[in-house]
Amino acid sequence: MKYKYLFGPVPSRRFGRSLGVDLTPFKTCSLNCIFCQLGRSDATAADRSEYVPVNEVIAELEHWLAHDGVADFITLSGSGEPTLNSGFGDILAFIKENTQIPSLLMTNGTMLHLPEVRKAAAQASVVKVSMGAWDQASFEKLNRPDSAVSFADLLQGEKDFRKEFSGELRLEVFVVDGVNADPVDMQKIAAFVKEVAPDKVQLNTAVRPAAEDDAVAVSAEALNELALLFDPPAEVIASFSGVKIEGSKVNSDKLLDMLRRRPCTALQMADVLGVHINEISKYLPELLTAGSVHREERGAEVFFVAV
Ligand code: SF4
């Protein structure tokens, strides 16, 4: 069965093999972050609605659980902000009732000021919220929010959610050189993080191709120093190390499907599919010639990005 809303399992830096569940049309998001791997948005969205039919997503999950069912996490993320889908809580409830695989909600946190969103999100095993600003001005510079979204609501929503959520809450701080990498600014972010009191704080940076060319990564050394500004110190997310899925078959459709969700190097694709890089190299020329993917150099690495 070819799935419309499920993808992967895909590589994940911290969550191993992650089956993705995509609950929005491409780049339906309340933010337009300068570091977004999905590219720049034409418009933002702050209205919640059933962007994709929840019953169809659940039917796909039922099929996947019956015919495959191997992953470390089932993750609500993909090509937009999952909490904008008004039925995302029903998907989390289905996962909780029908499998032992833990669920992960990856969110930008902008809807957490709404009580109904907090209640729905609290059904996840793990919730990971991204943040990187310390006031409205920095929020607008880094995340370019929808006009209906404010930094004050974002922060209050995260604090309220922490009080109501008994699962694991992680905060990921995305660091961009020249925007929020100054230690003075990071100290302000660290103070907010302390108020939210997550179980874990992680620092990340733009190691993958981003929406804007000026979303520049900071060095590992700089991240390590910034991590010490958090109490307890934040964890620096190191470069991706692959998780092999034994027996995966490679074909150009599978590679393209993976790249539509996330730019990857050839080595990352080989790692996650559990094959030699030569196997990946057989299909990449075909995808490049067809114009389905293009190459982007970032530092010493070459990423392949779906067009
Ligand atoms: S990085 Fe995430 S939150 Fe930011 S614009 Fe992209 S999808 Fe939205």
Side-chain angles (χ1 to χ4, degrees):
M1 179 175 174
K2 190 156 172 53
Y3 297 116
K4 195 168 169 192
Y5 308 110
L6 308 188
F7 58 96
V10 294
S12 164
R13 282 183 177 153
R14 280 292 173 267
F15 297 100
R17 298 161 302 176
S18 166
L19 178 78
V21 184
D22 203 350
L23 295 181
T24 61
F26 185 76
K27 199 73 199 279
T28 303
C29 190
S30 44
L31 303 180
N32 180 19
C33 305
I34 63 170
F35 53 81
C36 186
Q37 294 167 21
L38 302 174
R40 194 181 302 163
S41 306
D42 294 330
T44 48
D47 291 331
R48 300 190 63 234
S49 135
E50 196 175 337
Y51 284 100
V52 305
V54 167
N55 59 345
E56 289 182 24
V57 176
I58 286 178
E60 288 196 358
L61 279 168
E62 277 171 342
H63 186 276
W64 182 81
L65 286 169
H67 294 89
D68 190 335
V70 179
D72 298 308
F73 275 90
I74 299 177
T75 303
L76 273 53
S77 73
S79 40
E81 169 51 38
T83 64
L84 285 177
N85 190 312
S86 52
F88 84 96
D90 295 338
I91 311 279
L92 289 172
F94 173 84
I95 296 167
K96 200 170 179 179
E97 284 161 20
N98 290 278
T99 173
Q100 300 291 317
I101 301 172
S103 60
L104 165 65
L105 171 65
M106 297 183 79
T107 174
N108 63 26
T110 54
M111 297 292 124
L112 287 174
H113 63 288
L114 302 171
E116 64 273 24
V117 171
R118 294 199 298 274
K119 191 172 176 204
Q123 299 174 96
S125 315
V126 179
V127 175
K128 181 166 176 173
V129 185
S130 53
M131 66 182 299
W134 62 92
D135 60 12
Q136 185 67 26
S138 58
F139 189 40
E140 284 172 15
K141 187 170 183 188
L142 184 71
N143 305 106
R144 302 186 296 195
D146 186 275
S147 58
V149 171
S150 74
F151 182 75
D153 278 351
L154 172 76
L155 188 60
Q156 191 58 50
E158 290 178 9
K159 288 198 277 190
D160 290 344
F161 183 62
R162 169 71 294 181
K163 285 185 208 133
E164 297 165 19
F165 179 50
S166 56
E168 182 181 329
L169 177 63
R170 298 189 185 191
L171 281 190
E172 179 179 282
V173 179
F174 207 91
V175 188
V176 176
D177 199 25
V179 179
N180 61 356
D182 188 309
V184 174
D185 299 329
M186 194 56 67
Q187 253 159 352
K188 295 176 197 156
I189 296 171
F192 285 132
V193 166
K194 196 163 179 135
E195 284 182 48
V196 176
D199 297 291
K200 190 175 272 195
V201 187
Q202 295 173 318
L203 293 195
N204 199 355
T205 191
V207 290
R208 290 170 189 272
E212 308 298 341
D213 290 342
D214 53 4
V216 177
V218 295
S219 67
E221 294 74 27
L223 276 187
N224 283 329
E225 280 179 27
L226 293 172
L228 299 176
L229 299 174
F230 292 79
D231 178 24
E235 175 191 2
V236 172
I237 298 180
S239 59
F240 171 74
S241 63
V243 180
K244 288 182 169 49
I245 303 170
E246 299 301 340
S248 289
K249 287 204 178 70
V250 181
N251 57 46
S252 48
D253 278 351
K254 190 169 238 176
L255 296 188
L256 191 55
D257 194 38
M258 185 183 287
L259 295 174
R260 277 200 189 104
R261 315 291 173 173
R262 171 180 288 189
C264 291
T265 65
L267 194 57
Q268 287 169 349
M269 288 184 264
D271 271 351
V272 79
L273 292 168
V275 297
H276 193 274
I277 192 168
N278 289 351
E279 193 64 20
I280 302 296
S281 303
K282 281 185 203 164
Y283 296 96
L284 283 175
E286 178 188 321
L287 291 169
L288 287 162
T289 306
S292 311
V293 302
H294 68 86
R295 296 158 51 98
E296 273 191 38
E297 288 182 19
R298 184 149 285 242
E301 295 192 291
V302 175
F303 285 84
F304 294 88
V305 184
V307 175

